[in-house]
Amino acid sequence: MTGLTFELLCMQLLTGIALGSIYALLALGLCLIFGMLNVVNFAHGAFFMVGAFLGVYFLGVTGSFWFSLVLTPLITGGIGLLTERFLVRPLYGRGLDYPLLLTFGLSYVLIEVMRVTFGIEGLPSITPEGLGGTLNVGIGFFPKYRLFLIVATAIIILGVWFFIQKTRYGLIIKAGAADQEIVKVLGVDIAKVWLLVFGLGCAIAGLSGILASPTRSVNPEMGIPILAESFVVTVVGGMGSPVGAVVAGLFVGIVYSMTSLFFPDLAELSIFVLMAVVLLIRPQGLFGKAGAMG
Amino acid sequence: MKSFLQLIARHRVLASTLFLAIFPFIMPYEALAINILIFGLFAMGFNLLFGYMGLLSFGHAAFLGIGSYLTGIGIVHYGMPWGAAILVGIIGAAIGGLIMGYLAIRTRGIYFSMVTLALGQIVYYIFYKAESLTGGENGLRGVRVNEFNILGIPTDFLNPLVKYYIILFFVVIAIWLISRILSSPLGAVMEAIRENEKRAAACGFDVARTKLLVFVLSAAICGLAGSLRALHLSIVPIDSLHYLQSGQAVMMSILGGMGTFFGPFIGAAVMLYLEDVVTTFTKHWMAVVGVVFMFFVLFFPKGIWGTILSKLQINQDSK
């Protein structure tokens, strides 16, 4: 390791944060849906993949990344609304396994629909205009798009945080997660809240798909490894803890990028090893409550 | 009809043996029958954990893959006789099950599913990276079993029907073992844990140890299925370790009827047959299977066999 300098380490750290932003966003979406509806969305990776495809497609057709950035989550969110209303809703009260299995089946269908629509090879990813090339960040040149990724994710996460913590709707969501009976008694249509939360979670998954698309290859299978990785993040952070999801997401991203600097062969494994270690020491995850393991 | 089914339920090992003995003649071709045999066993092994003890693992492809790869590696790289290679596959899968189970049973419910899925991914990457042994992305090629003698009679493993019956021999042993486990006190404890874990613990059963034991048994059976698959295909595709493969075990169990003895096998047969039929007119069979699966989750959560049993009001204890 002769080329190892402080600058290189910092760059790698930044790369890790960019990667971790995507993880954090995905885990946050999973966590929202789980915290409120007690449903693990096994199709979350598939929604991510659909988001990437639609994002690249709209970008190619319209030429506007910003347009695509708005439209894509609206569509994936819409699919999410339909999913909750017609597929997940009949399964409430039947335990945790059935919604999980249903969304797993849905992921099969979504993958196949994308294959039929866009072909099995996928689409070439496009870096949006104005975000290509690198920028001098003081210690070296860093890809502009990744900086954008970090900033954009931070804004989205803050937005979600603001929505949950500071708005009336957020209050209802939090109350509903704590005690749905009471919320119902107070006259809130809890079914509508669940619908919106599921849609929001899927919209966030789609949004992370389009945001991630310039940094990875867009193909129908791309949601599969990322689902496993977002589960790792969820397990490390602690089930149902939004703070845990964000912190663990960044942490996992940094671990991945640091390992790929020092031991490139072990990069993929490193985050799973991290999970195994966390499980041994703190089975409930870093920010999880002891009793909240489902 | 009812008494006939009860008769089958009472002599479940004999019934499955007889049925499987004529099975290749019902199927359109032998390779499909062999596939169903192998995946039926895989699903039955999985169902031991999921259907009977209520632990939903999404990492069972790991055991199918470990069984396949170790058997394949034994034959290709070390020139092992195939019988010994199967044994290596089973033992390897059991050890894998011990490690994965040890970590995963520390968690519950959905957490358990997520952890097993993630641990299964570890196994995927390990075998993927060990390219010199496993062939990486291309899979492990050349797992050949040619002619050998059984009791002095020369046997041709390449003849599909002969291959079917040799594989059936191992599958029947496994089915017998599963049946024995289920009707033993261990089987009763498993169902007690599924119904109410806290109460089972209060009754004095060591819940954690039972979970681990069943996890290992289930892994070993799935490892055997993997070993047999390597012999059947004569290659080990990296797909064996894929999490969608774990999902297949889940789908087959649900489709046939989780927590029933024959259910997983019926699920495997229906799903693979469906896949075979659907692929003749479209290559997008996954969508069809996905829709059928969702339909069952929504409307027939007991699966095909489970629904038949409950419609005929057959006592679930003697399934």
Side-chain angles (χ1 to χ4, degrees):
Chain A
M1 278 281 160
T2 46
L4 184 66
T5 57
F6 177 69
E7 281 77 15
L8 184 61
L9 264 182
C10 287
M11 292 305 239
Q12 204 65 19
L13 188 69
L14 217 50
T15 309
I17 293 174
L19 179 68
S21 312
I22 294 293
Y23 287 151
L25 210 51
L26 272 169
L28 185 67
L30 267 176
C31 174
L32 261 184
I33 297 176
F34 178 79
M36 186 69 200
L37 289 74
N38 241 328
V39 169
V40 166
N41 183 10
F42 245 68
H44 211 67
F47 278 102
F48 169 83
M49 179 270 301
V50 171
F53 266 104
L54 293 181
V56 172
Y57 176 73
F58 289 135
L59 175 54
V61 171
T62 63
S64 164
F65 182 64
W66 308 106
F67 173 74
S68 166
L69 205 55
V70 174
L71 192 60
T72 302
L74 285 180
I75 296 179
T76 54
I79 304 173
L81 292 180
L82 292 175
T83 306
E84 199 279 343
R85 177 64 190 84
F86 295 106
L87 298 174
V88 178
R89 191 173 291 182
L91 295 173
Y92 292 141
R94 279 218 239 149
L96 298 171
D97 290 347
Y98 286 101
L100 186 159
L101 292 167
L102 184 111
T103 45
F104 175 71
L106 179 67
S107 73
Y108 258 59
V109 176
L110 288 177
I111 289 174
E112 221 40 72
V113 168
M114 288 298 121
R115 279 188 187 148
V116 174
T117 319
F118 296 106
I120 51 170
E121 260 90 56
L123 298 172
S125 47
I126 314 171
T127 306
E129 223 170 297
L131 292 172
T134 55
L135 192 76
N136 193 344
V137 285
I139 44 162
F141 289 89
F142 195 72
K144 264 189 213 164
Y145 186 77
R146 296 207 172 157
L147 286 176
F148 165 76
L149 193 61
I150 296 172
V151 175
T153 328
I155 293 172
I156 297 164
I157 290 173
L158 283 176
V160 172
W161 177 82
F162 184 81
F163 176 71
I164 304 261
Q165 295 295 335
K166 303 284 171 192
T167 66
R168 222 181 94 78
Y169 298 102
L171 194 67
I172 294 172
I173 290 175
K174 275 199 297 182
D179 191 336
Q180 31 164 303
E181 288 302 319
I182 294 290
V183 175
K184 249 187 253 175
V185 169
L186 290 173
V188 176
D189 185 355
I190 195 100
K192 210 180 266 171
V193 180
W194 285 345
L195 183 70
L196 287 176
V197 169
F198 199 93
L200 183 64
C202 294
I204 294 178
L207 197 56
S208 22
I210 172 173
L211 284 173
S213 68
T215 62
R216 51 185 77 214
S217 65
V218 178
N219 57 61
E221 293 81 23
M222 69 186 290
I224 293 165
I226 202 108
L227 180 71
E229 284 151 13
S230 16
F231 281 177
V232 168
V233 171
T234 313
V235 170
V236 169
M239 191 96 215
S241 157
V243 179
V246 173
V247 173
L250 292 175
F251 187 37
V252 164
I254 291 167
V255 166
Y256 182 94
S257 95
M258 284 301 164
T259 322
S260 56
L261 177 65
F262 293 108
F263 314 99
D265 278 345
L266 299 178
E268 281 101 347
L269 272 177
S270 62
I271 62 170
F272 296 105
V273 174
L274 174 73
M275 182 194 73
V277 172
V278 169
L279 272 177
L280 284 172
I281 302 169
R282 236 184 112 78
Q284 70 272 36
L286 298 178
F287 292 83
K289 291 180 203 78
M293 307 190 314
Chain B
M1 182 69 182
K2 191 176 167 179
S3 59
F4 177 65
L5 284 178
Q6 268 164 342
L7 189 72
I8 290 179
R10 213 170 304 130
H11 304 282
R12 54 192 179 190
V13 177
L14 185 68
S16 20
T17 310
L18 289 176
F19 174 72
L20 292 175
I22 56 161
F23 189 58
F25 302 103
I26 309 172
M27 285 287 109
Y29 50 93
E30 285 95 351
L32 181 61
I34 298 177
N35 239 344
I36 292 175
L37 203 55
I38 289 167
F39 277 99
L41 181 65
F42 178 44
M44 278 177 117
F46 165 79
N47 188 46
L48 205 55
L49 189 68
F50 173 52
Y52 286 98
M53 211 167 55
L55 296 185
L56 175 52
S57 155
F58 255 93
H60 262 53
F63 310 123
L64 186 82
I66 292 174
S68 281
Y69 270 109
L70 292 191
T71 298
I73 289 167
I75 291 173
V76 173
H77 294 294
Y78 299 99
M80 268 184 201
W82 61 277
I86 289 181
L87 204 62
V88 170
I90 298 173
I91 294 171
I95 294 172
L98 190 66
I99 298 169
M100 196 192 275
Y102 177 75
L103 285 167
I105 61 165
R106 305 167 72 87
T107 63
R108 283 205 189 90
I110 281 174
Y111 232 46
F112 179 86
S113 308
M114 294 170 121
V115 168
T116 45
L117 186 141
L119 292 172
Q121 254 345 64
I122 294 193
V123 178
Y124 178 88
Y125 285 119
I126 290 175
F127 280 88
Y128 187 81
K129 293 278 176 190
E131 214 175 322
S132 56
L133 275 178
T134 63
E137 199 168 348
N138 299 322
L140 179 67
R141 286 162 193 282
V143 187
R144 261 181 220 101
V145 179
N146 290 332
E147 286 197 18
F148 55 91
N149 293 329
I150 294 177
L151 305 169
I153 309 160
T155 312
D156 179 15
F157 197 76
L158 295 178
N159 178 334
L161 208 57
V162 174
K163 184 156 76 175
Y164 179 86
Y165 286 109
I166 292 172
I167 290 177
L168 179 61
F169 171 75
F170 291 98
V171 172
V172 166
I173 293 177
I175 289 178
W176 174 78
L177 190 74
I178 293 171
S179 176
R180 280 304 302 262
I181 293 171
L182 290 177
S183 50
S184 72
L186 174 63
V189 178
M190 283 160 62
E191 292 189 52
I193 290 175
R194 179 189 64 195
E195 294 309 323
N196 192 331
E197 195 178 318
K198 284 197 182 112
R199 200 171 290 170
C203 289
F205 296 113
D206 191 335
V207 170
R209 226 174 69 190
T210 309
K211 280 186 179 175
L212 189 58
L213 178 63
V214 176
F215 201 101
V216 171
L217 285 171
S218 164
I221 291 164
C222 293
L224 171 64
S227 293
L228 297 172
R229 185 158 182 255
L231 299 180
H232 166 46
L233 296 177
S234 78
I235 62 163
V236 182
I238 186 75
D239 289 7
S240 317
L241 286 165
H242 211 282
Y243 107 78
L244 290 179
Q245 201 73 262
S246 305
Q248 291 232 313
V250 181
M251 286 183 163
M252 287 165 176
S253 294
I254 294 279
L255 223 56
M258 59 167 172
T260 66
F261 189 76
F262 298 103
F265 200 92
I266 293 169
V270 169
M271 201 165 132
L272 293 174
Y273 190 80
L274 192 69
E275 182 185 326
D276 192 67
V277 172
V278 173
T279 35
T280 56
F281 55 89
T282 168
K283 58 180 189 292
H284 302 288
W285 61 271
M286 260 176 80
V288 179
V289 169
V291 169
V292 171
F293 177 69
M294 285 200 284
F295 181 79
F296 267 84
V297 170
L298 278 169
F299 302 110
F300 295 100
K302 285 179 182 159
I304 299 170
W305 188 246
T307 306
I308 293 175
L309 289 184
S310 72
K311 281 270 178 302
L312 293 172
Q313 293 178 321
I314 290 177
N315 185 5
Q316 288 283 309
D317 291 330
S318 62
K319 67 216 153 209

